[in-house]
């Protein structure tokens, strides 16, 4: 199988697995315990905190472990909203954020908060600008949440520009950096980010572990926790730490730091080869997103006259994704593509290909051949009806 779905998840690096193994049955202590078994685990957790902090330019005390980016986003958004509710009840975010940002904001809107949903400008490829954010901030704004890079089309937002605007106006800035951490150089201080969400399984670490960066000074970001309990993570996230998970996350960040330059050059070149080969082989190919501000591994392509779900179903040896179609229990056309201004017909023919460290040039060439054959076969059969595949089929292939 050719796996081109690294934005969905990545294989855990064998070096990460190896580093995690001792913390299941040998060094299995609870890091909160005072005895030597606990201290050994606490030492490993501290080391991991330092590794993760180093990747984003943070102080280790600013890293709060979570079960992943969904929890980190919920903690950031609901935690700030609760804590600062007497200061204001207005939040700024964008319509094409991940559901793990949109849904907490919607929940807050149900509770009486006012949410401004920024819409990407036409032709912007989904890039949110600092000017849009500046125009949306009001006296009662307590939080801006704009993702670092979009999971579907790979567009990279002007995070430092948005951070500067937020700090100038005295508003906390959260960024869902799940797709950026490990791929792009990140410095929370240079970018003036106050809260940042990350997830280990997007950077060759294990699933079910992530973190929220919470700024300690200049300004200090305060949160009301989601969980009440033992007061772990400086009271911000109660619950016994997932020691093997955070150890794996730590090693994964260290590996990412070491290979970032090489990954960027090598995988980026393969992504470009993928797109130019597809264009050589096929007409009616549109690359989506902001191609001049885009994750190096992501290629989001719309094939005119094609139903993407049918296409992927006809290619069982290729793993790619039809965008956010299966990100929730209910199948819906990708709202991200809708907000980017794609017609329903083009959106129905759009596929996200995301390359990774193990992707080879041979795989890229083979994938292009398979895709071209599949597209041509479908076009020969006649025009596709957008959405003519049922939900069960779609999710089986995504
Ligand atoms: N935000 C973005 C941008 C993502 O791509 C994802 C993963 N699809 C998430 C949040 C959720 O991450 P997790 O799986 O760690 O909950």
């Amino acid at each position: 199988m050719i796996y081109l779905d690294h934005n969905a998840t990545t294989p855990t690096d064998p070096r990460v697995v190896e580093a995690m193994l001792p913390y299941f049955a040998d060094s299995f202590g609870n890091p909160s315990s005072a005895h030597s078994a606990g201290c050994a685990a606490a030492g490993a957790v501290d080391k991991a905190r330092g590794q993760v902090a180093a990747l984003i330019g943070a102080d280790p005390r600013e890293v709060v472990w979570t079960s992943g980016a969904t929890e980190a986003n919920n903690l950031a958004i609901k935690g700030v909203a609760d804590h600062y509710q007497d200061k204001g009840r207005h939040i700024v975010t964008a319509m094409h954020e991940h559901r793990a940002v949109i849904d907490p904001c919607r929940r807050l809107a149900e509770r009486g908060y006012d949410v401004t949903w920024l819409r990407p400008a036409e032709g912007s490829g989904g890039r949110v600008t600092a000017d849009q954010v500046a125009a949306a901030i009001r006296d009662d704004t307590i939080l801006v949440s704009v993702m670092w890079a979009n999971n579907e089309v790979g567009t990279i937002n002007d995070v430092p520009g948005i951070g500067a605007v937020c700090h100038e106006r005295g508003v906390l800035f959260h960024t869902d950096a799940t797709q950026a951490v490990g791929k792009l150089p990140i410095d929370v201080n240079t970018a003036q980010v106050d809260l940042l969400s990350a997830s280990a399984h997007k950077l060759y670490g294990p699933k079910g572990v992530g973190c929220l960066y919470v700024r300690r000074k200049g300004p200090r970001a305060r949160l009301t926790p989601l969980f009440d309990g033992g007061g772990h993570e400086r009271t911000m996230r109660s619950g016994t730490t997932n020691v093997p998970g955070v150890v794996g996350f730590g090693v994964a960040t260290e590996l990412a730091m070491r290979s970032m330059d090489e990954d960027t050059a090598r995988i980026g070149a393969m992504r470009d080869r993928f797109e130019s080969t597809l264009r050589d082989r096929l007409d009616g190919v549109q690359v989506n997103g902001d191609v001049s501000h885009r994750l190096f591994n992501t290629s989001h392509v719309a094939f005119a006259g094609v139903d993407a779900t049918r296409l992927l179903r006809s290619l069982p040896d290729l793993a790619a994704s039809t965008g956010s179609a299966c990100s929730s229990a209910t199948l819906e056309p990708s709202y991200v593509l809708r907000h980017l201004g794609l017609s329903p017909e083009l959106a129905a023919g759009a596929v996200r290909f995301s390359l990774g460290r193990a992707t080879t040039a041979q795989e890229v060439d083979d994938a292009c051949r398979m895709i071209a054959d599949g597209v041509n076969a479908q076009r020969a059969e006649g025009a596709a009806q957008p959405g003519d595949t049922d939900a069960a089929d779609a999710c089986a292939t995504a």
Side-chain angles (χ1 to χ4, degrees), residues 75-84 142-143 172 195 222-223:
L75 176 58
I77 294 165
K78 293 176 182 163
V80 164
D82 267 353
H83 189 89
Y84 293 93
I142 49 171
L143 182 71
L172 291 175
L195 299 134
R222 293 182 187 276
L223 300 169

Side-chain angles (χ1 to χ4, degrees), residues 7-8 67-71 73 98 100 147 149-151 176 178-179 198-199 201-202 209:
N7 286 11
S67 62
T70 300
E71 186 190 331
N73 287 342
H98 192 274
M147 70 202 320
N150 185 273
N151 47 298
D176 176 356
T178 308
Q179 295 291 345
S199 184
H201 75 98
K202 306 290 185 179
V209 60

